[in-house]
Amino acid sequence: MGATVNKTTEAAFEPLLQFDMEMEDFLSDWHHCDHVSSYLARMISHNRTDPVRHSNFFSSALNELLEVSFRGGTTDGKIGLSIYRQGATERVQLSFPCPPAQVRFYREAVSRTRESDAQARYLDAISNDLAPSRESVLLDLAVNYDARLRLDEDAAPAITLIVDLPLEGMVS
C-alpha cells in the first residue's frame, strides 16, 4: 500500500515524457540502465537553472531506480517510465513486473524510507554490504536526494515506484 495521495497535488504535476520497453529487452543488457537514464536526464534538464548539474543528479537517481527494477525484474511484461514536473520537483513513475513474492519486499523497503532512522539504516547498509541492495538504493534516494517515495500496487502483477525528486532546489 502506498501513502495517502493528495489529489490536488497530483493534478499539479505536468507530464514531460513517457516510454515503455519490453522487460526482456531491458534485461538483455545492463547498460540499458545507464543509457536510458543519461538520455532522459538530458531531455528534461535543458530548461533548468544549471542544466548540466541537474542532468547529472537526475541521471544518477534515475539510474539507481532502473537498477532496482533490473535486479528484481522478470522477463515477462513491460517496463514503463513516466516523468512529470511540478516546480522544482520531478516525479518519476517506474512500473515493472513484480512477482508476488517480491511485492512485500518493495512495500516494506519503500515504507522504511519514510522512517526516522532512514539515514542510520542507509549508513549501516553502505558500510556493511559488499554490493548495494535494492533497499539501500531506495534509502540512498531518500537520504541523499531528499526523495519522497511511495508504491502503487494497482497494476498487479506489476508495481509502480513513484519517486518525487526535488533536484532543482539541490542544484540552484
Side-chain angles (χ1 to χ4, degrees):
M1 293 251 185
T4 303
V5 177
N6 180 336
K7 295 295 182 188
T8 304
T9 302
E10 290 301 306
F13 277 88
E14 296 182 28
L16 295 178
L17 61 89
Q18 176 179 355
F19 93 93
D20 295 317
M21 182 180 210
E22 292 296 329
M23 201 63 185
E24 184 175 1
D25 294 333
F26 179 67
L27 295 176
S28 69
D29 189 343
W30 176 256
H31 291 98
H32 287 148
C33 296
D34 185 48
H35 295 309
V36 168
S37 60
S38 295
Y39 180 74
L40 296 178
R42 286 186 196 133
M43 289 182 69
I44 66 132
S45 299
H46 72 280
N47 60 351
R48 287 304 201 180
T49 304
D50 186 339
V52 174
R53 284 188 73 188
H54 189 276
S55 178
N56 285 338
F57 281 123
F58 189 84
S59 177
S60 294
L62 183 57
N63 190 42
E64 296 295 323
L65 281 169
L66 291 171
E67 286 184 22
V68 166
S69 66
F70 191 93
R71 291 179 189 177
T74 174
T75 57
D76 297 329
K78 291 187 176 190
I79 182 171
L81 176 69
S82 299
I83 302 172
Y84 302 87
R85 177 175 290 162
Q86 179 190 47
T89 301
E90 270 81 28
R91 170 171 288 169
V92 176
Q93 289 187 199
L94 179 64
S95 300
F96 54 96
C98 183
Q102 292 187 30
V103 172
R104 182 176 177 180
F105 162 79
Y106 284 106
R107 189 180 306 132
E108 292 175 358
V110 167
S111 176
R112 284 192 281 266
T113 65
R114 295 186 294 266
E115 294 178 358
S116 61
D117 68 342
Q119 183 168 5
R121 186 183 302 273
Y122 170 68
L123 293 173
D124 185 55
I126 63 171
S127 63
N128 292 320
D129 293 341
L130 295 176
S133 67
R134 290 176 292 170
E135 182 178 358
S136 67
V137 168
L138 297 176
L139 287 167
D140 175 36
L141 293 171
V143 170
N144 293 319
Y145 292 86
D146 200 24
R148 292 173 303 278
L149 292 89
R150 62 186 164 93
L151 184 67
D152 184 352
E153 300 175 41
D154 290 345
I159 60 170
T160 301
L161 289 171
I162 302 167
V163 181
D164 290 344
L165 296 160
L167 298 178
E168 181 72 353
M170 292 176 65
V171 297
S172 58

